[in-house]
Amino acid sequence: MPTIHYTDDTGTTVDVTAKPGDSVMETAVRNGVTGIVAECGGSLSCATCHVFIQEDQVEDLPPMSEMEDEMLYGTAVDREDCSRLSCQIKVTEDMDLHVTTPETQV
Amino acid sequence: MSTPSTAIRPETGLLIIGASQAGVQLAISLRGTGFDEHITLLGEEDHRPYQRPALSKEFLQDTVGKENLIFRSQEYWDEHDIELVKGARIERVEKRPDGSGVAHAADGTEYAFRRLALAVGARARRLELPGADLEGVVYLRSADDALDLKSRLGDVQDVVVVGGGFIGLEAACSLHGMGKATTVLEYGPRLVGRAVGEDTSAYFLQSHRSRGLDIQLDARLARFLDDGEGRVTGVELEDGTVITAQLVLIGVGVIPNTELAEQMGLAVDNGIVVDRHALASDGTTVAVGDVANMPNPLPGAPEGERLRLESVNNAIEHAKIAAYSLTGRREEYAGIPWFWSNQADLKLQIAGLTLGYDSTVVRRDEAKGKFTVLYYRQGQIIAADCINAPLDFMAVRTALGKGQNIPAEAAVDASVQLKSITAERTVDRKVPA
Ligand SMILES: Cc1cc2nc3c(=O)[nH]c(=O)nc-3n(C[C@H](O)[C@H](O)[C@H](O)COP(=O)(O)OP(=O)(O)OC[C@H]3O[C@@H](n4cnc5c(N)ncnc54)[C@H](O)[C@@H]3O)c2cc1C
Ligand code: FES
């Protein structure tokens, strides 16, 4: 089963078993992982699902769209090279992804 | 007639009536603020609480399923001591001055509470015209409406959408994208007249027409036509024009569900009247989301200005205010209101409130299909409509949130990034008392 490891800004990690096809955002929200707000429910409109991908895993993910790239310029905590919007990342079969959530999303 | 059961539930710390965006958020935020009493989240729908926005977009187009719309897993509710009751419609509430009372459900069950929250939202406004109850004349507010609409689409070739607001246009784009010949009838002189300025309306009109949507403005509907067996076959306008349709979707706004509040004797005026702390006129009941009529939350807003906002963002922010209010932390609505609407390949994002502006700046990038309108009041930016322009949206939302300005003179040049010209406000940021 795919697993997503969510670490918050204080360093606490929650591991959540995910369903392939769901997004990394949906997996978090449904399980009440704090640190991801996701106001728009994944329609790439709010940028409140910002996460930092563990550096050595950035390359494993499909590249982002121009829209996601632009939205990342308005996140509450400034973007970094490993920033993604978690609603745009689909969970795959053997995913074992480590993400860190920013201090705030709004 | 069966005799109603007289089940009496043990008293709950907070009874939230309405288990949708605002009610769900209130429960979640209360746990976040340390409220430790038992919470009962009760709604009349038979679905687990779900998000509405996709109903006219991704869900209608079958790109997301029902499961993806569910807010939280059952484990979450269990772990947080939030009891979820589905399929329960509250018909009457008896309330005592200290805030406690009993809510009576249609099935006879009584829910005793120490505090009450009304998150009962709004319902689709009905069109009272001849033929309005024909088979095939439908509305879109709930998951059941959307499931019903989807189940009807099979044999449908022509659709009429009555109403050129957000819901009407989103649904029209979805249906058009699914191959249905779609006509939008708008009563007013322009699209989305209630929520965006004229330039944005014009942009929508031109884009939607160019993709093949038939849009008729100033269209006066006279009646729905039928096949003699109770099924709709089209509509007739006041000027006699007949438009064929096997399905007519009506999206002409919503009416706040204020009946319970009225029965309880709370002040009601286009929604339940609440103060800055989301408290209704009895001083103890909180009312949140689409159903609440609240003071304009924006800093510097004219004194006494009130509004009822119909958006996810408002439901969330307003629920947070109510959570603070219920836990004795009287913080005020702080977030900047924002909204989105996806219509075919147009992504609209609105930051701020387009109220009382005195000038605008239009930024257009034809090549990239970007279109932004900035709204100003006395030289200070107060809102923006951004179409396919997330950079502009993000810059404005951030500036508004920080109480900054984006000077109009510099913003006129569409090649300039708004972020780079954001400046301190020239007008004082007046924080409401
Ligand atoms: C098709 C559609 C698309 C939308 N798209 C967007 C969008 O893109 N962006 C955006 O920001 N907003 C959008 N919205 C608006 C957004 O969904 C609403 O603003 C939001 O749902 C309001 O939440 P609420 O909880 O206040 O009210 P509601 O969602 O209306 O929920 C109220 C709930 O209370 C229940 N209820 C009412 N009376 C009783 C009673 N007596 N007893 C028990 N239960 C009761 C109702 O059944 C309902 O479930 C859309 C809405 C629709 C319908
Ligand atoms: S959930 Fe809104 S952008 Fe990801």
Side-chain angles (χ1 to χ4, degrees), chain A residues 22 26 29-30 32 39-41 43-47 67 70-71 73-74, chain B residues 51 58 68 72-73 312-313 316 338 340 347 349 370 390 394 397 419:
Chain A
D22 282 359
E26 283 169 330
V29 170
R30 220 161 293 144
E39 275 189 35
C40 77
S43 85
L44 196 47
S45 303
C46 69
M67 196 70 96
E70 292 201 1
M71 292 287 294
Y73 282 105
Chain B
Q51 313 172 44
E58 299 89 345
N68 297 80
R72 286 285 195 278
S73 64
V312 163
N313 166 260
I316 293 176
W338 77 276
W340 86 96
K347 174 192 281 297
Q349 291 164 296
K370 292 174 192 269
M394 285 300 184
R397 197 174 77 170
K419 207 176 171 172

PDB file of all heavy atoms in Angstrom, chain A residues 22 26 29-30 32 39-41 43-47 67 70-71 73-74, chain B residues 51 58 68 72-73 312-313 316 338 340 347 349 370 390 394 397 419:
ATOM      1  N   ASP A  22      -5.992   8.860  -5.492  1.00  0.00           N
ATOM      2  CA  ASP A  22      -6.292  10.053  -4.697  1.00  0.00           C
ATOM      3  C   ASP A  22      -5.088  10.994  -4.796  1.00  0.00           C
ATOM      4  O   ASP A  22      -4.005  10.573  -5.166  1.00  0.00           O
ATOM      5  CB  ASP A  22      -6.482   9.679  -3.221  1.00  0.00           C
ATOM      6  CG  ASP A  22      -7.860   9.074  -2.957  1.00  0.00           C
ATOM      7  OD1 ASP A  22      -8.652   8.975  -3.921  1.00  0.00           O
ATOM      8  OD2 ASP A  22      -8.125   8.694  -1.802  1.00  0.00           O
ATOM      9  N   GLU A  26      -5.812  15.176  -0.843  1.00  0.00           N
ATOM     10  CA  GLU A  26      -7.031  14.483  -0.379  1.00  0.00           C
ATOM     11  C   GLU A  26      -6.715  13.506   0.747  1.00  0.00           C
ATOM     12  O   GLU A  26      -7.455  13.395   1.724  1.00  0.00           O
ATOM     13  CB  GLU A  26      -7.668  13.701  -1.527  1.00  0.00           C
ATOM     14  CG  GLU A  26      -8.426  14.567  -2.501  1.00  0.00           C
ATOM     15  CD  GLU A  26      -8.817  13.795  -3.767  1.00  0.00           C
ATOM     16  OE1 GLU A  26      -8.090  12.863  -4.176  1.00  0.00           O
ATOM     17  OE2 GLU A  26      -9.836  14.136  -4.344  1.00  0.00           O
ATOM     18  N   VAL A  29      -6.277  15.599   3.918  1.00  0.00           N
ATOM     19  CA  VAL A  29      -7.483  16.250   4.426  1.00  0.00           C
ATOM     20  C   VAL A  29      -8.456  15.230   4.995  1.00  0.00           C
ATOM     21  O   VAL A  29      -8.988  15.398   6.086  1.00  0.00           O
ATOM     22  CB  VAL A  29      -8.146  17.084   3.312  1.00  0.00           C
ATOM     23  CG1 VAL A  29      -9.518  17.555   3.751  1.00  0.00           C
ATOM     24  CG2 VAL A  29      -7.261  18.281   2.972  1.00  0.00           C
ATOM     25  N   ARG A  30      -8.671  14.159   4.277  1.00  0.00           N
ATOM     26  CA  ARG A  30      -9.640  13.184   4.749  1.00  0.00           C
ATOM     27  C   ARG A  30      -9.230  12.601   6.098  1.00  0.00           C
ATOM     28  O   ARG A  30     -10.057  12.254   6.916  1.00  0.00           O
ATOM     29  CB  ARG A  30      -9.800  12.067   3.713  1.00  0.00           C
ATOM     30  CG  ARG A  30     -11.255  11.670   3.590  1.00  0.00           C
ATOM     31  CD  ARG A  30     -11.539  10.947   2.314  1.00  0.00           C
ATOM     32  NE  ARG A  30     -11.394  11.789   1.149  1.00  0.00           N
ATOM     33  CZ  ARG A  30     -10.926  11.362  -0.017  1.00  0.00           C
ATOM     34  NH1 ARG A  30     -10.501  10.140  -0.151  1.00  0.00           N
ATOM     35  NH2 ARG A  30     -10.879  12.182  -1.036  1.00  0.00           N
ATOM     36  N   GLY A  32      -7.477  14.242   8.295  1.00  0.00           N
ATOM     37  CA  GLY A  32      -7.315  15.301   9.285  1.00  0.00           C
ATOM     38  C   GLY A  32      -5.877  15.653   9.597  1.00  0.00           C
ATOM     39  O   GLY A  32      -5.564  16.105  10.685  1.00  0.00           O
ATOM     40  N   GLU A  39      -8.582  24.811   0.615  1.00  0.00           N
ATOM     41  CA  GLU A  39      -9.908  25.448   0.514  1.00  0.00           C
ATOM     42  C   GLU A  39     -10.646  25.090  -0.764  1.00  0.00           C
ATOM     43  O   GLU A  39     -11.849  24.913  -0.758  1.00  0.00           O
ATOM     44  CB  GLU A  39      -9.771  26.978   0.574  1.00  0.00           C
ATOM     45  CG  GLU A  39      -9.726  27.509   1.978  1.00  0.00           C
ATOM     46  CD  GLU A  39      -9.799  29.025   2.045  1.00  0.00           C
ATOM     47  OE1 GLU A  39     -10.494  29.644   1.211  1.00  0.00           O
ATOM     48  OE2 GLU A  39      -9.167  29.586   2.932  1.00  0.00           O
ATOM     49  N   CYS A  40      -9.925  25.020  -1.879  1.00  0.00           N
ATOM     50  CA  CYS A  40     -10.636  24.843  -3.150  1.00  0.00           C
ATOM     51  C   CYS A  40     -10.886  23.380  -3.472  1.00  0.00           C
ATOM     52  O   CYS A  40     -11.406  23.057  -4.536  1.00  0.00           O
ATOM     53  CB  CYS A  40      -9.896  25.535  -4.289  1.00  0.00           C
ATOM     54  SG  CYS A  40      -8.452  24.652  -4.891  1.00  0.00           S
ATOM     55  N   GLY A  41     -10.509  22.495  -2.568  1.00  0.00           N
ATOM     56  CA  GLY A  41     -10.812  21.087  -2.772  1.00  0.00           C
ATOM     57  C   GLY A  41     -10.045  20.455  -3.922  1.00  0.00           C
ATOM     58  O   GLY A  41     -10.455  19.437  -4.458  1.00  0.00           O
ATOM     59  N   SER A  43      -8.964  22.142  -6.867  1.00  0.00           N
ATOM     60  CA  SER A  43      -9.168  22.627  -8.229  1.00  0.00           C
ATOM     61  C   SER A  43      -8.113  23.661  -8.627  1.00  0.00           C
ATOM     62  O   SER A  43      -8.302  24.422  -9.560  1.00  0.00           O
ATOM     63  CB  SER A  43     -10.599  23.114  -8.436  1.00  0.00           C
ATOM     64  OG  SER A  43     -10.724  24.432  -8.028  1.00  0.00           O
ATOM     65  N   LEU A  44      -6.989  23.642  -7.948  1.00  0.00           N
ATOM     66  CA  LEU A  44      -5.848  24.477  -8.312  1.00  0.00           C
ATOM     67  C   LEU A  44      -6.215  25.965  -8.298  1.00  0.00           C
ATOM     68  O   LEU A  44      -5.915  26.706  -9.218  1.00  0.00           O
ATOM     69  CB  LEU A  44      -5.314  24.052  -9.697  1.00  0.00           C
ATOM     70  CG  LEU A  44      -3.923  24.518 -10.129  1.00  0.00           C
ATOM     71  CD1 LEU A  44      -2.891  24.311  -9.046  1.00  0.00           C
ATOM     72  CD2 LEU A  44      -3.495  23.785 -11.393  1.00  0.00           C
ATOM     73  N   SER A  45      -6.904  26.373  -7.243  1.00  0.00           N
ATOM     74  CA  SER A  45      -7.332  27.769  -7.182  1.00  0.00           C
ATOM     75  C   SER A  45      -6.896  28.486  -5.918  1.00  0.00           C
ATOM     76  O   SER A  45      -7.015  29.705  -5.841  1.00  0.00           O
ATOM     77  CB  SER A  45      -8.862  27.847  -7.259  1.00  0.00           C
ATOM     78  OG  SER A  45      -9.329  27.229  -8.434  1.00  0.00           O
ATOM     79  N   CYS A  46      -6.427  27.757  -4.897  1.00  0.00           N
ATOM     80  CA  CYS A  46      -6.229  28.418  -3.605  1.00  0.00           C
ATOM     81  C   CYS A  46      -4.794  28.450  -3.098  1.00  0.00           C
ATOM     82  O   CYS A  46      -4.449  29.299  -2.298  1.00  0.00           O
ATOM     83  CB  CYS A  46      -7.115  27.760  -2.549  1.00  0.00           C
ATOM     84  SG  CYS A  46      -6.623  26.077  -2.126  1.00  0.00           S
ATOM     85  N   ALA A  47      -3.968  27.507  -3.504  1.00  0.00           N
ATOM     86  CA  ALA A  47      -2.587  27.396  -3.011  1.00  0.00           C
ATOM     87  C   ALA A  47      -2.502  27.207  -1.497  1.00  0.00           C
ATOM     88  O   ALA A  47      -1.532  27.603  -0.877  1.00  0.00           O
ATOM     89  CB  ALA A  47      -1.741  28.590  -3.439  1.00  0.00           C
ATOM     90  N   MET A  67       0.300  26.448 -14.554  1.00  0.00           N
ATOM     91  CA  MET A  67      -0.654  27.018 -13.609  1.00  0.00           C
ATOM     92  C   MET A  67      -0.199  26.749 -12.171  1.00  0.00           C
ATOM     93  O   MET A  67      -0.215  27.643 -11.335  1.00  0.00           O
ATOM     94  CB  MET A  67      -2.028  26.379 -13.861  1.00  0.00           C
ATOM     95  CG  MET A  67      -3.186  27.099 -13.259  1.00  0.00           C
ATOM     96  SD  MET A  67      -3.525  28.684 -14.058  1.00  0.00           S
ATOM     97  CE  MET A  67      -4.794  28.243 -15.229  1.00  0.00           C
ATOM     98  N   GLU A  70       2.676  28.988 -11.320  1.00  0.00           N
ATOM     99  CA  GLU A  70       2.279  30.375 -11.037  1.00  0.00           C
ATOM    100  C   GLU A  70       1.615  30.478  -9.666  1.00  0.00           C
ATOM    101  O   GLU A  70       1.856  31.417  -8.913  1.00  0.00           O
ATOM    102  CB  GLU A  70       1.335  30.903 -12.128  1.00  0.00           C
ATOM    103  CG  GLU A  70       2.042  31.064 -13.459  1.00  0.00           C
ATOM    104  CD  GLU A  70       1.330  32.038 -14.389  1.00  0.00           C
ATOM    105  OE1 GLU A  70       0.298  32.607 -13.995  1.00  0.00           O
ATOM    106  OE2 GLU A  70       1.828  32.224 -15.514  1.00  0.00           O
ATOM    107  N   MET A  71       0.755  29.514  -9.359  1.00  0.00           N
ATOM    108  CA  MET A  71       0.071  29.554  -8.063  1.00  0.00           C
ATOM    109  C   MET A  71       1.073  29.496  -6.908  1.00  0.00           C
ATOM    110  O   MET A  71       0.855  30.070  -5.851  1.00  0.00           O
ATOM    111  CB  MET A  71      -0.897  28.369  -7.938  1.00  0.00           C
ATOM    112  CG  MET A  71      -2.089  28.424  -8.870  1.00  0.00           C
ATOM    113  SD  MET A  71      -3.295  29.655  -8.383  1.00  0.00           S
ATOM    114  CE  MET A  71      -3.842  28.963  -6.834  1.00  0.00           C
ATOM    115  N   TYR A  73       3.685  30.961  -6.566  1.00  0.00           N
ATOM    116  CA  TYR A  73       4.278  32.259  -6.249  1.00  0.00           C
ATOM    117  C   TYR A  73       3.452  33.036  -5.225  1.00  0.00           C
ATOM    118  O   TYR A  73       3.818  34.132  -4.839  1.00  0.00           O
ATOM    119  CB  TYR A  73       4.486  33.093  -7.515  1.00  0.00           C
ATOM    120  CG  TYR A  73       5.699  32.655  -8.273  1.00  0.00           C
ATOM    121  CD1 TYR A  73       5.582  31.919  -9.442  1.00  0.00           C
ATOM    122  CD2 TYR A  73       6.981  32.936  -7.786  1.00  0.00           C
ATOM    123  CE1 TYR A  73       6.705  31.480 -10.121  1.00  0.00           C
ATOM    124  CE2 TYR A  73       8.103  32.500  -8.454  1.00  0.00           C
ATOM    125  CZ  TYR A  73       7.957  31.775  -9.623  1.00  0.00           C
ATOM    126  OH  TYR A  73       9.078  31.330 -10.281  1.00  0.00           O
ATOM    127  N   GLY A  74       2.333  32.474  -4.806  1.00  0.00           N
ATOM    128  CA  GLY A  74       1.518  33.220  -3.851  1.00  0.00           C
ATOM    129  C   GLY A  74       1.246  32.458  -2.564  1.00  0.00           C
ATOM    130  O   GLY A  74       0.336  32.794  -1.826  1.00  0.00           O
TER     131      GLY A  74
ATOM    132  N   GLN B  51     -18.271  18.318  -0.468  1.00  0.00           N
ATOM    133  CA  GLN B  51     -18.031  19.650  -1.017  1.00  0.00           C
ATOM    134  C   GLN B  51     -18.912  19.875  -2.237  1.00  0.00           C
ATOM    135  O   GLN B  51     -18.992  19.031  -3.112  1.00  0.00           O
ATOM    136  CB  GLN B  51     -16.563  19.772  -1.443  1.00  0.00           C
ATOM    137  CG  GLN B  51     -15.606  19.264  -0.395  1.00  0.00           C
ATOM    138  CD  GLN B  51     -14.175  19.214  -0.903  1.00  0.00           C
ATOM    139  OE1 GLN B  51     -13.714  20.142  -1.555  1.00  0.00           O
ATOM    140  NE2 GLN B  51     -13.468  18.135  -0.607  1.00  0.00           N
ATOM    141  N   GLU B  58     -16.197  19.380 -12.021  1.00  0.00           N
ATOM    142  CA  GLU B  58     -15.536  18.082 -12.188  1.00  0.00           C
ATOM    143  C   GLU B  58     -16.482  16.899 -11.995  1.00  0.00           C
ATOM    144  O   GLU B  58     -16.395  15.906 -12.711  1.00  0.00           O
ATOM    145  CB  GLU B  58     -14.356  17.968 -11.210  1.00  0.00           C
ATOM    146  CG  GLU B  58     -13.267  19.018 -11.399  1.00  0.00           C
ATOM    147  CD  GLU B  58     -13.519  20.300 -10.595  1.00  0.00           C
ATOM    148  OE1 GLU B  58     -14.659  20.501 -10.112  1.00  0.00           O
ATOM    149  OE2 GLU B  58     -12.578  21.104 -10.460  1.00  0.00           O
ATOM    150  N   ASN B  68     -14.427  11.424  -3.746  1.00  0.00           N
ATOM    151  CA  ASN B  68     -13.439  12.494  -3.676  1.00  0.00           C
ATOM    152  C   ASN B  68     -14.000  13.777  -3.077  1.00  0.00           C
ATOM    153  O   ASN B  68     -13.266  14.699  -2.759  1.00  0.00           O
ATOM    154  CB  ASN B  68     -12.876  12.806  -5.065  1.00  0.00           C
ATOM    155  CG  ASN B  68     -12.156  11.627  -5.643  1.00  0.00           C
ATOM    156  OD1 ASN B  68     -12.785  10.713  -6.157  1.00  0.00           O
ATOM    157  ND2 ASN B  68     -10.853  11.607  -5.524  1.00  0.00           N
ATOM    158  N   ARG B  72     -14.202  14.419   5.286  1.00  0.00           N
ATOM    159  CA  ARG B  72     -13.364  13.733   6.269  1.00  0.00           C
ATOM    160  C   ARG B  72     -13.810  12.283   6.369  1.00  0.00           C
ATOM    161  O   ARG B  72     -14.977  11.969   6.149  1.00  0.00           O
ATOM    162  CB  ARG B  72     -13.524  14.351   7.664  1.00  0.00           C
ATOM    163  CG  ARG B  72     -12.875  15.702   7.889  1.00  0.00           C
ATOM    164  CD  ARG B  72     -11.372  15.575   8.039  1.00  0.00           C
ATOM    165  NE  ARG B  72     -10.745  16.772   8.590  1.00  0.00           N
ATOM    166  CZ  ARG B  72     -10.416  17.858   7.881  1.00  0.00           C
ATOM    167  NH1 ARG B  72     -10.671  17.902   6.589  1.00  0.00           N
ATOM    168  NH2 ARG B  72      -9.833  18.880   8.472  1.00  0.00           N
ATOM    169  N   SER B  73     -12.866  11.425   6.743  1.00  0.00           N
ATOM    170  CA  SER B  73     -13.208  10.015   6.936  1.00  0.00           C
ATOM    171  C   SER B  73     -14.005   9.864   8.234  1.00  0.00           C
ATOM    172  O   SER B  73     -13.917  10.700   9.130  1.00  0.00           O
ATOM    173  CB  SER B  73     -11.918   9.190   7.034  1.00  0.00           C
ATOM    174  OG  SER B  73     -11.202   9.601   8.182  1.00  0.00           O
ATOM    175  N   VAL B 312     -17.141  29.186  -0.504  1.00  0.00           N
ATOM    176  CA  VAL B 312     -16.430  28.249   0.341  1.00  0.00           C
ATOM    177  C   VAL B 312     -15.523  29.013   1.304  1.00  0.00           C
ATOM    178  O   VAL B 312     -15.494  28.755   2.503  1.00  0.00           O
ATOM    179  CB  VAL B 312     -15.587  27.292  -0.534  1.00  0.00           C
ATOM    180  CG1 VAL B 312     -14.533  26.580   0.296  1.00  0.00           C
ATOM    181  CG2 VAL B 312     -16.498  26.302  -1.228  1.00  0.00           C
ATOM    182  N   ASN B 313     -14.791  29.958   0.761  1.00  0.00           N
ATOM    183  CA  ASN B 313     -13.875  30.714   1.602  1.00  0.00           C
ATOM    184  C   ASN B 313     -14.601  31.387   2.760  1.00  0.00           C
ATOM    185  O   ASN B 313     -14.147  31.369   3.903  1.00  0.00           O
ATOM    186  CB  ASN B 313     -13.126  31.746   0.748  1.00  0.00           C
ATOM    187  CG  ASN B 313     -12.426  32.772   1.607  1.00  0.00           C
ATOM    188  OD1 ASN B 313     -12.913  33.872   1.784  1.00  0.00           O
ATOM    189  ND2 ASN B 313     -11.301  32.401   2.166  1.00  0.00           N
ATOM    190  N   ILE B 316     -15.629  28.906   5.439  1.00  0.00           N
ATOM    191  CA  ILE B 316     -14.480  28.507   6.261  1.00  0.00           C
ATOM    192  C   ILE B 316     -14.100  29.618   7.239  1.00  0.00           C
ATOM    193  O   ILE B 316     -13.976  29.405   8.444  1.00  0.00           O
ATOM    194  CB  ILE B 316     -13.280  28.140   5.355  1.00  0.00           C
ATOM    195  CG1 ILE B 316     -13.600  26.862   4.564  1.00  0.00           C
ATOM    196  CG2 ILE B 316     -12.008  27.979   6.178  1.00  0.00           C
ATOM    197  CD1 ILE B 316     -12.529  26.453   3.578  1.00  0.00           C
ATOM    198  N   TRP B 338     -12.181  35.479  -0.871  1.00  0.00           N
ATOM    199  CA  TRP B 338     -11.800  35.155  -2.251  1.00  0.00           C
ATOM    200  C   TRP B 338     -12.737  34.083  -2.778  1.00  0.00           C
ATOM    201  O   TRP B 338     -13.468  33.439  -2.031  1.00  0.00           O
ATOM    202  CB  TRP B 338     -10.328  34.744  -2.318  1.00  0.00           C
ATOM    203  CG  TRP B 338     -10.064  33.349  -1.847  1.00  0.00           C
ATOM    204  CD1 TRP B 338      -9.887  32.955  -0.561  1.00  0.00           C
ATOM    205  CD2 TRP B 338      -9.995  32.181  -2.658  1.00  0.00           C
ATOM    206  NE1 TRP B 338      -9.701  31.598  -0.520  1.00  0.00           N
ATOM    207  CE2 TRP B 338      -9.761  31.096  -1.786  1.00  0.00           C
ATOM    208  CE3 TRP B 338     -10.093  31.944  -4.042  1.00  0.00           C
ATOM    209  CZ2 TRP B 338      -9.633  29.795  -2.252  1.00  0.00           C
ATOM    210  CZ3 TRP B 338      -9.962  30.638  -4.503  1.00  0.00           C
ATOM    211  CH2 TRP B 338      -9.735  29.583  -3.611  1.00  0.00           C
ATOM    212  N   TRP B 340     -13.502  31.313  -6.422  1.00  0.00           N
ATOM    213  CA  TRP B 340     -13.068  30.828  -7.739  1.00  0.00           C
ATOM    214  C   TRP B 340     -14.241  30.245  -8.500  1.00  0.00           C
ATOM    215  O   TRP B 340     -15.250  29.871  -7.915  1.00  0.00           O
ATOM    216  CB  TRP B 340     -11.970  29.783  -7.599  1.00  0.00           C
ATOM    217  CG  TRP B 340     -12.464  28.381  -7.389  1.00  0.00           C
ATOM    218  CD1 TRP B 340     -12.645  27.417  -8.333  1.00  0.00           C
ATOM    219  CD2 TRP B 340     -12.863  27.785  -6.135  1.00  0.00           C
ATOM    220  NE1 TRP B 340     -13.127  26.262  -7.734  1.00  0.00           N
ATOM    221  CE2 TRP B 340     -13.276  26.464  -6.395  1.00  0.00           C
ATOM    222  CE3 TRP B 340     -12.904  28.252  -4.820  1.00  0.00           C
ATOM    223  CZ2 TRP B 340     -13.720  25.603  -5.398  1.00  0.00           C
ATOM    224  CZ3 TRP B 340     -13.366  27.387  -3.826  1.00  0.00           C
ATOM    225  CH2 TRP B 340     -13.759  26.087  -4.123  1.00  0.00           C
ATOM    226  N   LYS B 347     -10.320  29.951 -15.882  1.00  0.00           N
ATOM    227  CA  LYS B 347     -10.251  29.841 -14.422  1.00  0.00           C
ATOM    228  C   LYS B 347     -10.342  31.247 -13.858  1.00  0.00           C
ATOM    229  O   LYS B 347      -9.433  32.051 -13.997  1.00  0.00           O
ATOM    230  CB  LYS B 347      -8.931  29.191 -14.016  1.00  0.00           C
ATOM    231  CG  LYS B 347      -8.718  29.172 -12.499  1.00  0.00           C
ATOM    232  CD  LYS B 347      -7.305  28.795 -12.142  1.00  0.00           C
ATOM    233  CE  LYS B 347      -7.088  27.307 -12.241  1.00  0.00           C
ATOM    234  NZ  LYS B 347      -7.924  26.551 -11.299  1.00  0.00           N
ATOM    235  N   GLN B 349     -10.497  33.714 -10.698  1.00  0.00           N
ATOM    236  CA  GLN B 349     -10.199  33.823  -9.267  1.00  0.00           C
ATOM    237  C   GLN B 349     -10.457  35.267  -8.872  1.00  0.00           C
ATOM    238  O   GLN B 349      -9.935  36.189  -9.506  1.00  0.00           O
ATOM    239  CB  GLN B 349      -8.743  33.445  -8.986  1.00  0.00           C
ATOM    240  CG  GLN B 349      -8.458  31.962  -9.201  1.00  0.00           C
ATOM    241  CD  GLN B 349      -6.974  31.670  -9.305  1.00  0.00           C
ATOM    242  OE1 GLN B 349      -6.310  32.123 -10.224  1.00  0.00           O
ATOM    243  NE2 GLN B 349      -6.448  30.927  -8.348  1.00  0.00           N
ATOM    244  N   LYS B 370      -4.802  35.634 -20.725  1.00  0.00           N
ATOM    245  CA  LYS B 370      -4.915  36.146 -19.352  1.00  0.00           C
ATOM    246  C   LYS B 370      -5.702  37.437 -19.353  1.00  0.00           C
ATOM    247  O   LYS B 370      -5.530  38.272 -20.246  1.00  0.00           O
ATOM    248  CB  LYS B 370      -3.529  36.442 -18.767  1.00  0.00           C
ATOM    249  CG  LYS B 370      -2.691  35.215 -18.523  1.00  0.00           C
ATOM    250  CD  LYS B 370      -1.295  35.649 -18.080  1.00  0.00           C
ATOM    251  CE  LYS B 370      -0.335  34.494 -18.102  1.00  0.00           C
ATOM    252  NZ  LYS B 370      -0.233  33.758 -16.866  1.00  0.00           N
ATOM    253  N   PRO B 390      -3.188  33.428 -12.428  1.00  0.00           N
ATOM    254  CA  PRO B 390      -2.935  33.167 -11.004  1.00  0.00           C
ATOM    255  C   PRO B 390      -1.893  34.103 -10.398  1.00  0.00           C
ATOM    256  O   PRO B 390      -1.989  34.425  -9.220  1.00  0.00           O
ATOM    257  CB  PRO B 390      -2.442  31.719 -10.971  1.00  0.00           C
ATOM    258  CG  PRO B 390      -2.580  31.172 -12.321  1.00  0.00           C
ATOM    259  CD  PRO B 390      -2.951  32.247 -13.276  1.00  0.00           C
ATOM    260  N   MET B 394      -2.712  35.962  -7.014  1.00  0.00           N
ATOM    261  CA  MET B 394      -1.891  35.745  -5.828  1.00  0.00           C
ATOM    262  C   MET B 394      -1.310  37.062  -5.323  1.00  0.00           C
ATOM    263  O   MET B 394      -1.256  37.304  -4.118  1.00  0.00           O
ATOM    264  CB  MET B 394      -0.756  34.768  -6.164  1.00  0.00           C
ATOM    265  CG  MET B 394      -1.253  33.349  -6.271  1.00  0.00           C
ATOM    266  SD  MET B 394      -1.970  32.866  -4.692  1.00  0.00           S
ATOM    267  CE  MET B 394      -2.379  31.197  -4.984  1.00  0.00           C
ATOM    268  N   ARG B 397      -4.242  39.048  -3.700  1.00  0.00           N
ATOM    269  CA  ARG B 397      -4.689  38.447  -2.444  1.00  0.00           C
ATOM    270  C   ARG B 397      -3.659  38.718  -1.339  1.00  0.00           C
ATOM    271  O   ARG B 397      -4.012  39.066  -0.212  1.00  0.00           O
ATOM    272  CB  ARG B 397      -4.893  36.938  -2.622  1.00  0.00           C
ATOM    273  CG  ARG B 397      -5.725  36.343  -1.497  1.00  0.00           C
ATOM    274  CD  ARG B 397      -6.050  34.876  -1.729  1.00  0.00           C
ATOM    275  NE  ARG B 397      -4.918  34.019  -1.447  1.00  0.00           N
ATOM    276  CZ  ARG B 397      -4.992  32.688  -1.390  1.00  0.00           C
ATOM    277  NH1 ARG B 397      -6.131  32.071  -1.636  1.00  0.00           N
ATOM    278  NH2 ARG B 397      -3.935  31.964  -1.123  1.00  0.00           N
ATOM    279  N   LYS B 419       3.305  41.759  -8.330  1.00  0.00           N
ATOM    280  CA  LYS B 419       4.079  41.528  -7.121  1.00  0.00           C
ATOM    281  C   LYS B 419       5.214  42.547  -6.989  1.00  0.00           C
ATOM    282  O   LYS B 419       5.554  42.988  -5.903  1.00  0.00           O
ATOM    283  CB  LYS B 419       4.660  40.112  -7.195  1.00  0.00           C
ATOM    284  CG  LYS B 419       4.922  39.498  -5.858  1.00  0.00           C
ATOM    285  CD  LYS B 419       5.400  38.068  -6.017  1.00  0.00           C
ATOM    286  CE  LYS B 419       5.876  37.543  -4.663  1.00  0.00           C
ATOM    287  NZ  LYS B 419       6.183  36.128  -4.699  1.00  0.00           N
TER     288      LYS B 419
END
